[in-house]
Amino acid sequence: MTATEPITFPHQTGVAVATLPAAFQQTVTVRPDAVALRTVGGIEEITWAQYARRVEAIAGGLAALGVSRGDTVGIMLTNRPEFHLVDTAALHLGAIPFSIYNTSSPEQVEYLFGNAVNAVVVTEQVFLPVISAASTGVATTIVVDGVATGTISLADVEHMPPPEGFDFTASWQAVDSHDLATLIYTSGTTGPPKGVEITHRNIVAEMTALAEIVEAGFDDRAISYLPAAHIADRVSSHAANMMRGIQITTVPDPREIAAALPDVHPTFFFGVPRVWQKIRAGIEAKLAEESSPVKKALAGWAFRTGASRAQAQLDAAGSGGPGSGGLAHGLADRLVLHKVRTTLGLDQVSFAGSGAAAIPPEVLKFFLGLGIPVLEVWGMSETTGVSTMTTNDNLRIGTVGKPVRGMEVRLADDGELLVRGPVVMRGYRGMPDKTAETIDADGWLSTGDIATIDDDGNVTIVDRKKELMINESGKNMSPTNIENAMKAASSLIGQVAAIGDSKPYVSALVVLDPDAAAARAKSLDVSGADLAELSSHPQVVEEISMAIRAGNKTLSRVEQVKRFTIVPTAWDPGGDELTPTMKLRRKPIETKYAAEIGELYEASPGESVVDLR
């Protein structure tokens, strides 16, 4: 497939489609009475037929409010069915719906809406104070959860008569594959967010490429819990629902994902690395709490057997041969591992994926041992999500696999990964200079990632080009590699920020995982202790010290963490230290924790610094 070849998506009906509205209109005809959207517990369920009727009604109401082809529609919602209804309705008008993070400040809302130039925003009452505090050009605010002063309710929009002469069918049929389908605002580890312009063609190309790797249809179930402002949820949830008929269960609070999994038993589940790490930590905590010595020993044997089986699979994949099974693994799976998967709600998963950030290989090996091969994907907002991925027949842990259909990859002279293909964005909204810096005249997009490509075509991401550390001796190091080595050693470690640029050695700021810390507080008989208390508890400090030493053993001597301090507060997504997608904001961290970092390099540091030298 060339970069200019028209792309269509062969739907179950056999009719080729080139836009999201066209795909949706085909999808709703397949199983009109099947549930398309639901909430946990089935409290709310919307069939495909109901979905279609409501989309047409909302589209008519939006048109009555003046929304037309090419207009932007801002969305600030938690994960709920109304997001899908509103977004899909706007798409049928040829409009450009886009979501912003719910953690956005008034200043950020002002910048985002100013860049998008949207006159309409759809939101919930809880976010009204933030939106109201921002100075924007928004003329109409639509609230999905009731009635509020100065707003219009979604129910009222849905019952508005469309403007005279409005033709819903003609409207969605006029949408072109090169029209914008959405804007994805990068979370911005440095500088203001950039509005990534994603076309219908981009999303259709992405879904087409994934369809060749992963089968999906109306019998599949997925959970929407990641922010709709992130490309992962927009593609793996929203687009997959419209184009493949996957049933979506919405979860408004990502902290409720553990409770949602057994309700849904998803066949498709995508998690950012921290989600997989927290599931692993939960399993390990349950095993540690087991009071029966017999059950504890049986579980330990089963997990060791699973781990051995996983390593055999990986060794066989590396040698090109088949992995071994064995009676022991079959027994371990029947007695323990399958029951664990069922309890988690992951017993019916046919596709499990991880992306958005690097995941420690040990976490992937853990889940492979449990019987859940987690495929690692790599991509960007600028490439509509997945550009490369591992597969069940190419489970090369440590790499992000091979390019998906239509994608080309190569390395620049300095090792930066360059990509080209039909999923590459149209450009950055209102930033032609930035677009020209990122995409060259031949269509190659500079990813900003330093990578390697092996002889089989598997890509390995080393780190962000701008985040590589160079110590005072001139040694290049990947902070992400160092940080993952530490996080993999203990579930008690939630975040690590490696420090070492222009320094004599590597040090680290360590943040406890709140959930794991709460469990540890219980075992230490100090239930109710906050992170500040636990961060200085001798046994906690010793456990973190042992984990750092264990992580160091997997690194070269120059990469090893020599000193660390435990930060006594949590780092929350969208806060000073983390982007909404859990990436470290390194520059703000260096500024905010300048005193703590300085102490890590003092000749005689205080008691909060642990010296491992």
Side-chain angles (χ1 to χ4, degrees):
M1 178 182 298
T2 67
T4 57
E5 178 185 341
I7 304 168
T8 56
F9 188 84
H11 197 268
Q12 290 92 333
T13 59
V15 178
V17 296
T19 68
L20 291 171
F24 177 81
Q25 291 299 324
Q26 290 296 329
T27 300
V28 298
T29 66
V30 180
R31 292 188 191 174
D33 295 328
V35 174
L37 305 169
R38 67 187 293 274
T39 58
V40 175
I43 295 173
E44 182 178 4
E45 294 186 335
I46 299 173
T47 67
W48 284 103
Q50 292 168 333
Y51 190 176
R53 285 195 295 270
R54 295 189 66 182
V55 161
E56 182 169 358
I58 294 170
L62 290 174
L65 292 171
V67 177
S68 61
R69 184 174 179 178
D71 290 340
T72 48
V73 176
I75 300 175
M76 192 176 187
L77 294 171
T78 55
N79 298 61
R80 53 191 300 155
E82 287 87 351
F83 159 76
H84 299 273
L85 296 171
V86 169
D87 193 285
T88 305
L91 289 171
H92 277 68
L93 295 175
I96 309 164
F98 70 98
S99 292
I100 65 172
Y101 289 107
N102 297 336
T103 54
S104 299
S105 66
E107 293 77 16
Q108 290 169 325
V109 171
E110 186 172 327
Y111 172 82
L112 296 171
F113 287 2
N115 181 263
V117 197
N118 56 297
V120 174
V121 62
V122 182
T123 189
E124 298 171 34
Q125 295 193 45
V126 68
F127 302 124
L128 286 177
V130 173
I131 294 174
S132 299
S135 177
T136 69
V138 171
T140 303
T141 299
I142 300 170
V143 176
V144 303
D145 56 345
V147 179
T149 303
T151 71
I152 302 174
S153 72
L154 181 61
D156 285 343
V157 173
E158 201 164 343
H159 289 93
M160 281 183 183
E164 186 176 349
F166 175 72
D167 188 326
F168 176 72
T169 301
S171 175
W172 68 257
Q173 288 181 343
V175 178
D176 186 82
S177 63
H178 294 281
D179 288 344
L180 291 184
T182 193
L183 302 173
I184 300 291
Y185 280 95
T186 60
S187 50
T189 55
T190 58
K194 297 186 288 290
V196 177
E197 296 183 322
I198 300 296
T199 66
H200 288 265
R201 180 176 183 270
N202 289 149
I203 295 178
V204 171
E206 177 74 0
M207 295 302 297
T208 302
L210 295 177
E212 294 193 348
I213 303 171
V214 182
E215 292 185 6
F218 285 81
D219 294 323
D220 288 299
R221 301 174 300 281
I223 299 174
S224 171
Y225 70 99
L226 295 171
H230 193 281
I231 191 66
D233 190 76
R234 184 162 287 278
V235 171
S236 68
S237 168
H238 190 46
N241 172 253
M242 283 192 286
M243 298 192 71
R244 303 311 308 269
I246 294 175
Q247 183 188 88
I248 298 297
T249 297
T250 59
V251 177
D253 186 342
R255 291 173 295 184
E256 298 172 356
I257 188 64
L261 286 169
D263 172 76
V264 179
H265 288 274
T267 57
F268 279 64
F269 185 68
F270 180 86
V272 294
R274 195 65 198 136
V275 169
W276 292 112
Q277 289 170 301
K278 290 179 83 67
I279 293 174
R280 176 195 180 189
I283 295 171
E284 292 174 339
K286 287 291 185 183
L287 293 177
E289 293 171 1
E290 177 56 60
S291 59
S292 167
V294 174
K295 289 183 178 180
K296 195 167 189 174
L298 178 62
W301 166 79
F303 274 88
R304 288 192 300 274
T305 301
S308 296
R309 161 64 172 162
Q311 191 58 56
Q313 285 179 278
L314 296 174
D315 292 342
S319 64
S324 60
L327 294 175
H329 178 262
L331 184 61
D333 191 73
R334 190 161 55 253
L335 294 178
V336 176
L337 302 181
H338 176 72
K339 293 179 180 179
V340 172
R341 295 195 300 271
T342 302
T343 300
L344 290 173
L346 293 172
D347 53 312
Q348 297 179 42
V349 166
S350 59
F351 170 82
S354 176
I359 185 170
E362 291 78 6
V363 176
L364 297 177
K365 292 177 182 178
F366 174 85
F367 281 99
L368 184 59
L370 180 57
I372 304 172
V374 178
L375 307 181
E376 188 163 12
V377 306
W378 174 88
M380 309 168 64
S381 300
E382 290 86 342
T383 64
T384 321
V386 180
S387 297
T388 74
M389 66 180 293
T390 58
T391 57
N392 286 325
D393 56 1
N394 183 44
L395 202 60
R396 302 294 288 272
I397 288 179
T399 80
V400 291
K402 299 177 182 179
V404 298
R405 176 191 174 187
M407 289 303 294
E408 302 173 75
V409 299
R410 67 180 178 88
L411 300 178
D413 292 340
D414 62 356
E416 181 177 3
L417 181 65
L418 307 178
V419 300
R420 182 169 68 179
V423 298
V424 171
M425 67 173 181
R426 189 169 83 179
Y428 293 120
R429 188 170 185 84
M431 297 181 177
D433 293 344
K434 289 288 186 183
T435 301
E437 289 175 12
T438 306
I439 306 174
D440 70 15
D442 295 321
W444 288 100
L445 181 143
S446 298
T447 66
D449 282 334
I450 298 296
T452 61
I453 303 174
D454 67 21
D455 293 340
D456 295 323
N458 291 294
V459 176
T460 299
I461 304 298
V462 177
D463 211 329
R464 293 293 293 168
K465 184 176 178 178
K466 294 180 180 179
E467 294 184 358
L468 290 177
M469 298 188 304
I470 305 176
N471 68 10
E472 65 179 21
S473 299
K475 170 66 177 177
N476 283 351
M477 296 174 288
S478 162
T480 299
N481 187 49
I482 295 168
E483 291 152 2
N484 274 341
M486 306 303 135
K487 289 191 287 187
S490 173
S491 59
L492 192 53
I493 298 177
Q495 295 292 338
V496 179
I499 311 297
D501 200 39
S502 301
K503 303 292 186 183
Y505 53 83
V506 176
S507 63
L509 301 175
V510 177
V511 182
L512 301 181
D513 179 87
D515 294 333
R520 189 67 77 254
K522 184 178 179 181
S523 68
L524 294 173
D525 201 24
V526 288
S527 296
D530 60 19
L531 283 184
E533 295 174 81
L534 288 170
S535 66
S536 59
H537 192 287
Q539 286 181 251
V540 171
V541 174
E542 179 58 26
E543 183 172 341
I544 298 298
S545 298
M546 292 174 61
I548 299 294
R549 291 183 189 278
N552 278 343
K553 290 180 180 179
T554 68
L555 301 170
S556 67
R557 190 164 69 176
V558 72
E559 294 174 305
Q560 293 175 1
V561 173
K562 303 301 191 296
R563 285 179 171 179
F564 72 89
T565 187
I566 302 176
V567 177
T569 54
W571 288 359
D572 298 319
D576 294 339
E577 301 88 358
L578 299 177
T579 70
T581 55
M582 303 290 285
K583 294 183 178 69
L584 293 176
R585 300 187 192 270
R586 296 191 186 276
K587 292 297 182 184
I589 288 172
E590 289 176 13
T591 300
K592 183 174 182 177
Y593 297 93
E596 290 85 347
I597 292 171
E599 193 173 9
L600 288 167
Y601 293 94
E602 289 181 1
S604 300
E607 294 182 358
S608 62
V609 172
V610 180
D611 197 327
L612 301 178
R613 293 178 295 179

